[in-house]
Amino acid sequence: MSPRFEVCVDSVDGALTAQDAGAHRVELCSALFEGGVTPSVGLMETVLGAAPDIEVNVLIRPRGGDFLYDRHETSAMVRDIETAVGLGAHGIVLGALTAEGDVDLALCRRLLAATGGRSVTFHRAFDMARDPFEALERLVGLGVDRVLTSGQDVSALEGAPLIARLVEAAGDRLVVMPGGGVTERNVARVLRLTGAREIHFSAGMTVDGPATHRNSRALMGGTLSRNEYARRLTSPAGVRGIITAARAEADPA
């Protein structure tokens, strides 16, 4: 059986690229350089209107960094979930941990209550959890639909042994979805090694922007930054290549 494909995007063009390539779902984010944060209301609304033939799951993460949130950040996340649901998002992507590295049950229950029954994915905060199997059981108890993970490693390929054990432990109770460093060259191996039935990737590419006047001295961010005149896009060829490679593994001729 061919797996289901989720593409991580941060633009309308990215969502349209994923839709046109035959992906089943996008995870809509902003600031992928930060690992992804909550997209703006305008971006959510525009993507949902422009790409009606693909499921749109919205990431809810108020900032980069760790996954411990205070009451103000929690209130912001609840409101962002309500907004995404009101705009017609198909699913919500969320996550929160305690200082000890466990799934924060109280906070997650509050966030889940705002989802209106939408599909819920627990994001890669899972990869920072103290005990992945205990975390998995907590997510099952919460009623989460899927968990995104690199197997607590640098990429899904390196983390494949743990992901395979998580897939087995989860059974039909929730979907364990590998993600992190998935490419056309390794997607078949990741699927084969893990036994996963869904896969997450970004297929990003960097292109030069159209600006002709450029100031090379000023930076809009910190010292660790990318070229101000470069754009990170979703690669149509990259998305198609990953999907084709994965389908070839699932349905060999």
Side-chain angles (χ1 to χ4, degrees):
M1 180 183 296
S2 180
R4 290 179 61 84
F5 303 102
E6 178 178 280
V7 185
C8 182
V9 304
D10 60 358
S11 68
V12 178
D13 284 345
L16 291 171
T17 293
Q19 175 181 269
D20 295 345
H24 300 89
R25 183 173 61 242
V26 296
E27 180 192 39
L28 182 63
C29 317
S30 286
L32 290 179
F33 193 67
E34 280 275 357
V37 298
T38 307
S40 71
V41 173
L43 181 56
M44 285 188 254
E45 188 170 28
T46 305
V47 166
L48 286 161
D53 298 326
I54 192 167
E55 295 176 18
V56 178
N57 285 6
V58 174
L59 174 67
I60 303 298
R61 185 183 179 213
R63 55 165 172 77
D66 63 41
F67 302 102
L68 284 70
Y69 301 109
D70 63 25
R71 62 188 180 90
H72 302 297
E73 291 170 322
T74 299
S75 295
M77 287 192 287
V78 168
R79 183 68 187 113
D80 284 338
I81 291 171
E82 293 171 344
T83 299
V85 169
L87 289 171
H90 301 86
I92 300 297
V93 183
L94 54 81
L97 301 176
T98 66
E100 295 74 29
D102 296 315
V103 173
D104 189 330
L105 291 175
L107 197 159
C108 285
R109 286 192 185 104
R110 184 173 173 189
L111 299 180
L112 285 162
T115 64
R118 296 298 196 276
S119 172
V120 173
T121 300
F122 193 91
H123 57 52
R124 288 188 60 202
F126 183 88
D127 289 325
M128 303 303 178
R130 174 184 56 81
D131 182 330
F133 294 97
E134 182 176 322
L136 181 73
E137 294 305 320
R138 289 191 173 208
L139 296 180
V140 169
L142 285 168
V144 167
D145 296 285
R146 70 180 52 78
V147 58
L148 172 63
T149 178
S150 66
Q152 299 198 327
D153 215 320
V154 67
S155 75
L157 184 59
E158 280 81 3
L162 175 58
I163 297 173
R165 293 172 62 201
L166 291 167
V167 168
E168 183 177 4
D172 294 328
R173 298 181 298 164
L174 61 73
V175 173
V176 176
M177 180 171 61
V182 174
T183 67
E184 181 177 350
R185 295 182 62 183
N186 66 27
V187 64
R189 289 181 63 198
V190 171
L191 289 167
R192 184 168 62 251
L193 291 171
T194 63
R197 57 186 186 270
E198 297 192 7
I199 191 83
H200 170 102
F201 57 91
S202 63
M205 65 177 182
T206 301
V207 300
D208 196 35
T212 54
H213 170 72
R214 304 188 176 202
N215 178 3
S216 61
R217 298 181 300 278
L219 295 175
M220 298 298 106
T223 55
L224 178 60
S225 62
R226 59 186 178 187
N227 186 329
E228 301 295 350
Y229 297 100
R231 296 185 179 188
R232 187 71 174 169
L233 305 178
T234 303
S235 165
V239 174
R240 285 198 241 23
I242 291 173
I243 289 176
T244 298
R247 285 177 172 160
E249 169 68 17
D251 304 302

